[in-house]
């Protein structure tokens, strides 16, 4: 019985570390085009869960800023928006997906008209019930994004 508990703990740690790595890669993708391209390729090779689908959409949306061609920018943004919103529809209570969408909506240019979920996402991100079940890294990132806006 004790061995099963240790195995579950190790799986939990690996999962938490994998999530932290995803978040770090995402943060770097915001700033660097090559990282965004490589990260998107990596995500496309992973098992397609709603969270991975959400990250793919988010990376497409943020990587739109790296392109010069305005049609390509808009195409990437729209495709990513659809992917992220679809992922949230599949798991509407996933706080990490809401964190991704909140950050993008908060930073998206007004002309893209992508801000309809800001208040709902912010409410979820500041809800103590949702926050108590998240890992420390995500809680810190949520607090940072809320405090900076």
């Amino acid at each position: 019985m004790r061995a099963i508990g240790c195995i579950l703990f190790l799986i939990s740690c690996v999962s938490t570390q994998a999530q932290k790595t995803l978040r770090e890669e995402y943060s770097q993708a915001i700033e660097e085009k090559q990282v965004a391209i490589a990260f998107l390729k990596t995500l496309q090779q992973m098992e397609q869960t709603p969270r991975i689908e959400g990250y793919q959409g988010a990376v497409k949306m943020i990587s739109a800023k790296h392109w010069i061609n305005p049609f390509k920018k808009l195409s990437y943004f729209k495709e990513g928006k659809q992917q992220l919103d679809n992922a949230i529809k599949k798991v509407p209570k996933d706080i990490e997906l809401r964190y991704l969408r909140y950050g993008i909506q908060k930073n998206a240019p007004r002309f893209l008209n992508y801000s309809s979920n800001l208040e709902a996402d912010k409410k979820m991100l500041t809800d103590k019930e949702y926050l108590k079940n998240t890992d420390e890294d995500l809680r810190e990132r949520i607090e940072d994004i809320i405090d900076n806006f």
Side-chain angles (χ1 to χ4, degrees), residues 60-148:
K60 286 178 185 175
M61 293 169 74
I62 62 166
S63 68
K65 77 176 194 171
H66 299 306
W67 299 102
I68 296 171
N69 182 324
F71 296 110
K72 193 166 194 166
K73 283 179 178 273
L74 190 56
S75 173
Y76 261 69
F77 191 86
K78 284 182 176 181
E79 186 180 331
K81 176 182 176 275
Q82 182 178 10
Q83 217 170 355
L84 178 56
D85 288 346
N86 284 341
I88 291 173
K89 283 178 187 169
K90 291 176 186 173
V91 282
K93 293 184 179 188
D94 187 314
I95 196 165
E96 187 147 0
L97 293 175
R98 297 295 189 102
Y99 157 76
L100 293 173
R101 183 169 69 183
Y102 180 80
I104 292 169
Q105 286 191 355
K106 201 68 177 153
N107 290 299
R110 285 193 182 265
F111 71 88
L112 290 171
N113 200 26
Y114 188 58
S115 61
S116 61
N117 303 103
L118 267 173
E119 290 306 314
D121 289 348
K122 183 176 183 179
K123 184 177 180 181
M124 184 178 182
L125 293 173
T126 56
D127 186 312
K128 301 294 184 213
E129 277 303 304
Y130 287 109
L131 286 175
K132 75 179 182 182
N133 294 320
T134 61
D135 63 72
E136 185 177 337
D137 178 61
L138 181 58
R139 273 195 309 274
E140 288 174 5
R141 289 173 189 270
I142 289 170
E143 289 170 4
D144 188 46
I145 199 168
I146 298 295
D147 288 346
N148 286 329

Side-chain angles (χ1 to χ4, degrees), residues 6-23:
C6 290
I7 290 171
L8 291 175
F9 175 75
L10 289 173
I11 290 171
S12 168
C13 290
V14 170
S15 178
T16 301
Q17 184 57 40
Q19 283 300 125
K20 187 175 180 181
T21 302
L22 272 178
R23 295 176 198 134

Side-chain angles (χ1 to χ4, degrees), residues 16-72:
T16 301
Q17 184 57 40
Q19 283 300 125
K20 187 175 180 181
T21 302
L22 272 178
R23 295 176 198 134
E24 289 169 359
E25 287 289 322
Y26 178 75
S27 294
Q28 291 176 357
I30 293 171
E31 303 301 325
E32 299 176 42
K33 180 180 179 179
Q34 297 306 327
V35 173
I37 292 169
F39 187 41
L40 188 55
K41 287 179 183 176
T42 300
L43 289 169
Q44 290 169 338
Q45 294 172 358
M46 296 175 80
E47 179 184 346
Q48 294 302 297
T49 64
R51 187 168 289 171
I52 296 301
E53 179 184 357
Y55 265 98
Q56 284 177 347
V59 171
K60 286 178 185 175
M61 293 169 74
I62 62 166
S63 68
K65 77 176 194 171
H66 299 306
W67 299 102
I68 296 171
N69 182 324
F71 296 110
K72 193 166 194 166

